[in-house]
């Protein structure tokens, strides 16, 4: 019997993160799922294949506690899903340093910092490090003109990921920058094009299809390549 696959999903309390955990455990993966507030993790707690840990990805102390708890463990997949939209105004003119700091920290810097800390615990060769990007992070993408700051934060994530990949020791896991589609979640809203089940079924297929391929790929939930 093949060994059980293991995944660490960051930001799994709701939306796409929760959906990823559900799809993976349906396929018999063992999942460690992080949430900011363990009292809002009932959907995860009911699942016997899920271990819940606490993490606010922005907070150094919180990251340090998680790293201690995961010491010595090896994962087939690290998926950094956590993300925020940022201030409703999405305006450079109205931005404060605190708002921008939080947006770029959560969406671009903290995901890479966490991956750097955990890289030796991701299986080399067949392992996958996935970041939840967005097609809106493509600098050529004309859509989302009301989401300028969010778009910039995902472009920054893609750029940070590119640098991260260049520094990876050999043998390298595959690195994916993933666009989940426009999905009905708290962030995506009810007018979004697809549901969480459709998106996360596709995303999990990409994790499996790309394992062992190596390199860095910017793709959507259907596996279609997106221009940087
Ligand atoms: P969501 O429903 O708003 O969920 C966001 C998740 O991120 C929640 O689990 C949230 O935890 C977590 N999170 C936020 N800040 C965090 C922090 N500092 N530390 C740890 N966890 C944090 O959004 P979603 O639609 O599922 O989005 C998930 C990812 O997909 C995001 O990166 C988003 O940018 C990306 N994305 C979404 C769409 C879409 O159409 N929905 C499209 C493209 C990309 P709490 O519950 O504690 O707040």
């Amino acid at each position: 019997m093949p060994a059980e696959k293991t995944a660490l999903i960051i930001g799994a309390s709701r939306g796409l993160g929760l959906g990823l955990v559900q799809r993976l455990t349906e396929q018999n993966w063992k999942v460690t799922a992080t949430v900011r507030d363990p009292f809002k993790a009932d959907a995860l707690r009911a699942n016997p294949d899920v271990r819940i840990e606490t993490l606010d990805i922005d907070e150094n102390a919180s990251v340090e506690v998680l790293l201690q708890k995961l010491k010595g463990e090896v994962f087939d997949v690290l998926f950094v899903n956590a993300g925020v939209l940022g201030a409703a105004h999405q305006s450079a003119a109205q931005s404060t340093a605190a708002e921008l700091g939080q947006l770029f920290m959560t969406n671009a810097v903290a995901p890479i910092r966490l991956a750097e800390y955990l890289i030796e615990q991701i299986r080399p060769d067949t392992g996958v490090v996935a970041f939840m990007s967005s097609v809106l992070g493509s600098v050529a993408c004309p859509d989302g003109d009301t989401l300028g700051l969010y778009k910039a934060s995902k472009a920054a994530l893609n750029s940070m990921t590119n640098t991260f990949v260049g520094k990876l020791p050999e043998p390298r896991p595959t690195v994916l920058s993933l666009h989940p589609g426009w999905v009905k979640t708290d962030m995506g809203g009810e007018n979004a094009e697809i549901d969480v089940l459709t998106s996360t079924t596709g995303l999990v297929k990409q994790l499996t299809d790309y394992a062992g391929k190596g390199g860095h790929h910017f793709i959507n939930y259907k596996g279609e390549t997106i221009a940087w």
Side-chain angles (χ1 to χ4, degrees):
M1 217 170 99
E4 225 161 41
K5 296 272 191 182
T6 56
L8 173 59
I9 310 294
I10 305 298
S13 57
R14 57 197 167 97
L16 288 163
L18 177 60
L20 284 168
V21 174
Q22 289 167 336
R23 298 297 83 69
L24 287 167
T25 56
E26 283 162 11
Q27 296 179 31
N28 300 319
W29 287 58
K30 289 282 180 203
V31 177
T32 301
T34 76
V35 297
R36 279 198 286 197
D37 181 354
F39 293 103
K40 292 187 192 154
D42 288 350
L44 293 169
R45 200 161 284 114
N47 188 330
D49 294 317
V50 179
R51 163 181 162 196
I52 303 168
E53 295 292 352
T54 305
L55 177 70
D56 184 325
I57 199 171
D58 296 348
E59 299 295 332
N60 286 335
S62 180
V63 171
E64 189 51 44
V65 170
L66 181 74
L67 293 176
Q68 286 301 326
K69 287 192 172 169
L70 300 181
K71 218 169 192 167
E73 293 186 38
V74 174
F75 298 94
D76 294 287
V77 165
L78 164 65
F79 200 131
V80 188
N81 165 73
V84 290
L85 214 43
H89 58 68
Q90 291 285 315
S91 149
Q94 293 177 53
S95 290
T96 65
E99 280 170 1
L100 289 179
Q102 203 231 328
L103 175 64
F104 278 77
M105 185 66 178
T106 306
N107 285 6
V109 179
I112 299 299
R113 172 178 68 174
L114 187 68
E116 285 176 351
Y117 283 139
L118 284 167
I119 192 62
E120 308 232 318
Q121 290 171 249
I122 311 307
R123 209 175 293 292
D125 289 332
T126 57
V128 175
V129 179
F131 298 97
M132 196 66 102
S133 183
S134 169
V135 69
L136 297 180
S138 167
V139 286
C141 176
D143 301 336
D145 58 353
T146 58
L147 292 173
L149 300 178
Y150 173 78
K151 288 180 74 167
S153 73
K154 291 294 187 182
L157 171 63
N158 289 350
S159 175
M160 297 281 298
T161 306
N162 195 38
T163 307
F164 165 77
V165 170
K167 292 185 191 165
L168 283 178
E170 300 279 357
R172 299 172 170 189
T174 303
V175 180
L176 298 178
S177 294
L178 288 165
H179 171 55
W182 182 21
V183 192
K184 294 181 207 295
T185 62
D186 293 338
M187 184 185 290
E190 59 192 26
N191 294 326
E193 287 168 352
I194 57 172
D195 59 19
V196 169
L197 176 62
T198 305
S199 173
T200 52
T201 299
L203 291 169
V204 166
K205 182 172 185 322
Q206 304 321 317
L207 295 178
T208 311
D209 287 357
Y210 274 82
K213 284 196 175 170
H216 179 201
H217 310 269
F218 187 17
I219 54 172
N220 67 14
Y221 70 104
K222 297 177 186 167
E224 296 162 341
T225 297
I226 300 171
W228 292 106

